[in-house]
Amino acid sequence: MRKKYYSPSTVAGMAECVLQAINIGTVVLDQEHLVVLWNRWMEKHSGVRAEEILGLNLFDFFPDLRNSRVESAVEQALHNNFPSLLSQTLNKAPFALYTNASDAAASNRMQQAVAVIPIEAEDHNRRCLIQISDVSVAVARERQLREQALVLRSQTFSDGLTGIANRRHFDVSIDKEFRRAKRTGIPISLLMIDIDYFKAFNDHYGHQRGDDCLIQVAGALGSVLHRPADLVARYGGEEFAVILPDNHAESACMIATAMRQKVEALGLEHAQSRNPSKVVTISIGVAASVPQHHHEAAGLIQEADRALYEAKRLGRNQVVLAGSDCVSQSA
């Protein structure tokens, strides 16, 4: 096979053409930070022509790069022969580069990936190569995927009607908080809540009013909670559950009583209720525990559920604590 010979000048010319054509910013600095090379991509996106900057100190020309991660990386390359890849998360847009004229007018910098690489020239003097890539599209796509993931997570763990946590969110949270209580030896409380005579309300007023009732009750329950770790969830139908980590029985009963009063104070008309007030009310079962190693979250749920059943048996619109004679009811 015959090999064709290319002269050094031809190869050098070809390299120059490639350098100017590639879709990546290319800058070379000497030991004094003077610009030795500034390719066409840099001209296009910085608005600075090569003849304006060649031979000048990069950090004098762009003073906002002084004392930046870029300058530190250049120093490492020139004096320690150490390459660097700047984190895009921490250094989103170090250079004043813009995708187009409208972005430049709005000072909306291009998102950049920056690599700083030491190179040895023929004169044995070390130079520094800075390569800059436009990652704006990738960053925008990543942001969109992140937002979509948040929306999906919200849909997965939120009740579509009331906007509070759904049953799946509750199941995950009660397991996590119960295991944490076991591990740390702190108390955990659980409230199981049921809207009194809700089927009669739905049958009398219709499903639209029934949905509105659920939304308002959920809002009233949530308004009583003030700690980020507390969770109110729609357990199913007209039933709600509230997880109260690091909360003993007395405090949980106080919160439950406040919730019962808050819902009654809504004054939602309920002509079919057997309660004298003829407004929407709730019954609440409370269970509290300092879990031992052999305990499971299901046991706490069963205790709260039995207390709720007892609250309903005693006439509804009241709070009952599991394993106690403590009952809080309307006046």
Side-chain angles (χ1 to χ4, degrees):
M1 182 183 294
R2 188 175 142 193
K3 182 178 179 181
K4 186 173 181 179
Y5 172 78
Y6 290 99
S7 68
S9 61
T10 300
V11 173
M14 183 64 69
E16 175 65 20
C17 290
V18 171
L19 181 64
Q20 297 302 336
I22 58 174
N23 195 31
I24 187 171
T26 306
V27 180
V28 175
L29 305 181
D30 69 7
Q31 288 278 346
E32 298 177 359
H33 302 166
L34 304 182
V35 178
V36 177
L37 189 147
W38 186 267
N39 77 339
R40 195 168 294 139
W41 189 95
M42 290 298 296
E43 290 185 330
K44 176 182 176 182
H45 295 291
S46 70
V48 177
R49 292 172 301 168
E51 55 264 32
E52 295 177 74
I53 196 170
L54 290 178
L56 298 180
N57 187 298
L58 177 70
F59 302 106
D60 288 342
F61 202 95
F62 295 106
D64 59 330
L65 290 175
R66 282 272 180 215
N67 303 314
S68 69
R69 180 68 185 90
V70 173
E71 185 177 33
S72 174
V74 167
E75 286 292 308
Q76 290 277 15
L78 289 172
H79 300 295
N80 300 319
N81 200 34
F82 187 78
S84 302
L85 182 63
L86 273 61
S87 165
Q88 206 283 320
T89 304
L90 299 176
N91 306 273
K92 299 182 187 305
F95 287 85
L97 302 173
Y98 305 95
T99 303
N100 50 50
S102 60
D103 281 349
S107 297
N108 183 25
R109 289 190 180 189
M110 170 194 300
Q111 299 288 299
Q112 304 156 29
V114 180
V116 181
I117 306 163
I119 55 174
E120 294 288 343
E122 290 183 359
D123 58 7
H124 303 294
N125 288 322
R126 189 174 296 146
R127 306 284 198 276
C128 172
L129 169 65
I130 303 174
Q131 292 182 320
I132 307 167
S133 304
D134 180 3
V135 293
S136 302
V137 173
V139 169
R141 187 181 298 118
E142 183 181 347
R143 186 185 301 116
Q144 183 181 27
L145 290 173
R146 204 160 46 238
E147 290 170 354
Q148 289 173 345
L150 287 173
V151 170
L152 182 60
R153 178 179 174 81
S154 173
Q155 292 172 344
T156 303
F157 286 95
S158 296
D159 177 58
L161 176 65
T162 62
I164 63 174
N166 62 10
R167 175 65 180 272
R168 181 177 180 182
H169 194 168
F170 169 83
D171 290 341
V172 171
S173 295
I174 190 66
D175 182 61
K176 180 187 73 173
E177 293 297 346
F178 197 85
R179 283 189 284 108
R180 188 169 73 89
K182 250 199 232 186
R183 189 172 61 252
T184 58
I186 59 174
I188 181 172
S189 296
L190 176 67
L191 315 183
M192 295 299 289
I193 303 168
D194 193 70
I195 299 178
D196 298 328
Y197 308 110
F198 185 72
K199 184 178 184 305
F201 182 96
N202 240 355
D203 291 344
H204 182 72
Y205 294 104
H207 290 292
Q208 187 64 47
R209 285 278 298 277
D211 286 351
D212 185 59
C213 173
L214 289 168
I215 292 168
Q216 291 197 57
V217 169
L221 299 178
S223 70
V224 177
L225 302 178
H226 303 293
R227 301 184 310 166
D230 296 339
L231 179 80
V232 58
R234 187 177 177 195
Y235 195 73
E238 70 274 19
E239 198 168 3
F240 298 85
V242 178
I243 303 170
L244 301 170
D246 195 9
N247 224 303
H248 50 72
E250 182 181 356
S251 175
C253 284
M254 290 175 61
I255 291 171
T257 300
M259 287 180 167
R260 184 194 64 74
Q261 293 171 342
K262 195 87 170 180
V263 170
E264 190 171 24
L266 290 173
L268 299 176
E269 179 188 327
H270 189 349
Q272 302 303 305
S273 174
R274 297 179 191 174
N275 290 325
S277 62
K278 295 299 180 182
V279 296
V280 170
T281 58
I282 57 175
S283 299
I284 306 178
V286 181
S289 170
V290 178
Q292 304 302 309
H293 289 296
H294 62 284
H295 291 167
E296 297 297 333
L300 187 69
I301 296 172
Q302 288 172 0
E303 284 185 31
D305 213 35
R306 281 194 293 268
L308 172 60
Y309 178 81
E310 183 66 9
K312 292 162 77 171
R313 188 187 70 80
L314 292 172
R316 294 175 166 80
N317 191 23
Q318 52 195 291
V319 175
V320 170
L321 173 65
S324 169
D325 295 330
C326 174
V327 177
S328 166
Q329 57 190 24
S330 60

